[in-house]
């Protein structure tokens, strides 16, 4: 019994030292909840190894595939940076529902393969790419269960089914190297049109990219909930 309490004391000590940014909030106190969530962003972005919370910035996406409206896009070994500067615009827990809205600016760099039609224009290429997204607002809604953890306390758990939507408020710029095998006479006009019509292009290629990023963020938040009991998050 003494050994158990010593073990529990160590676990609680590690958790307390690892989460100094947590401010427990009353139910419905939106200002407190948003401020507490915002304070957690840089810690979640860096990762909290002692709580098994993985790093989110930089974030590596090994493979993302998209096939929309006659356009096939594959991204490999894409590194996403900028999540550490995300800002919560809203977040709330209402019974078994978790709702959040977050605004981010990110840069994605990696390798791409592209073939098909975009904005009724033929396009093909393979090489390095950079996508800069300024002010993307992501809204997510998830079911939230309350479960008993290994520490005997109640923890939140995000359900496997969750929805999200996104809207880029400022701008997205695309840089695809080696379009049309490096033929600048073909690639420059197409790339100019793509960047001029960035909002339409985002609707064609961005959904699986945003989903892949959101999945990793949701997984990290769920790991955080699994490590920190409800009574340390909500009073």
């Amino acid at each position: 019994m003494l050994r158990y309490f010593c073990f529990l004391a160590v676990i609680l000590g590690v958790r307390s030292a690892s989460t100094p940014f947590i401010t427990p909030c009353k139910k419905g106190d939106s200002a407190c909840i948003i401020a507490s969530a915002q304070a957690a962003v840089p810690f979640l972005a860096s990762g909290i190894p002692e709580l098994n919370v993985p790093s989110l910035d930089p974030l590596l996406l090994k493979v993302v595939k998209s096939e929309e409206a006659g356009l096939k896009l594959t991204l490999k070994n894409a590194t996403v940076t900028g999540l550490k500067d995300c800002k919560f615009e809203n977040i709330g827990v209402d019974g078994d529902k978790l709702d959040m809205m977050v605004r981010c600016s990110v840069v994605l760099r990696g390798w791409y393969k592209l073939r098909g039609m975009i904005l009724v224009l033929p396009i093909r290429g393979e090489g390095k790419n950079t996508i800069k997204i300024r002010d993307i607002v992501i809204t997510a809604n998830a079911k939230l269960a309350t479960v008993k953890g290994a520490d005997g306390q109640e923890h939140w758990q995000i359900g496997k089914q969750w929805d999200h939507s996104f809207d880029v408020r400022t701008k997205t710029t695309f840089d695809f190297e080696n379009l049309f095998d490096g033929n600048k006479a073909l690639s420059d006009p197409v790339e100019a049109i793509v960047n001029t019509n960035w909002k339409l292009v985002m609707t064609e290629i961005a959904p699986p990219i945003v989903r892949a990023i959101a999945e990793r963020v949701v997984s990290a938040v769920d790991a955080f909930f699994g490590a920190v009991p409800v009574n340390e998050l909500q009073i």
Side-chain angles (χ1 to χ4, degrees), residues 54-165:
S55 171
L56 294 172
D57 195 350
L59 177 66
L60 176 64
L61 302 177
K62 291 185 178 181
V63 180
V64 179
K65 292 185 177 182
S66 170
E67 187 169 349
E68 297 285 341
L71 178 69
K72 291 184 178 181
L73 171 66
T74 300
L75 300 177
K76 290 186 178 180
N77 297 321
T79 300
V80 181
T81 56
L83 291 175
K84 68 180 185 299
D85 298 316
C86 290
K87 305 294 183 185
F88 273 98
E89 297 199 342
N90 188 37
I91 182 168
V93 176
D94 183 10
D96 65 346
K97 294 190 299 181
L98 171 66
D99 302 307
M100 66 179 73
M101 180 184 292
V102 62
R103 180 190 294 261
C104 306
S105 292
V106 299
V107 179
L108 183 151
R109 294 184 175 90
W111 177 93
Y112 82 96
K113 185 175 182 179
L114 185 64
R115 182 175 295 274
M117 302 290 290
I118 190 166
L119 301 177
V120 304
L121 298 172
I123 189 170
R124 61 178 174 83
E126 184 174 354
K128 295 180 180 179
N129 75 284
T130 301
I131 303 174
K132 297 180 180 180
I133 308 173
R134 290 181 57 197
D135 291 326
I136 181 171
V137 176
I138 301 174
T139 302
N141 313 103
K143 288 288 187 180
L144 201 61
T146 301
V147 300
K148 188 174 183 179
D151 56 4
Q153 301 192 68
E154 291 186 337
H155 291 257
W156 282 327
Q157 184 178 74
I158 299 175
K160 294 185 182 299
Q161 301 298 323
W162 49 272
D163 298 316
H164 76 288
S165 60

Side-chain angles (χ1 to χ4, degrees), residues 9 11 14 71 73 82 156 160 172 197 199:
I11 293 298
V14 168
L71 178 69
L73 171 66
W156 282 327
K160 294 185 182 299
T172 301
N197 297 276
K199 206 168 187 69

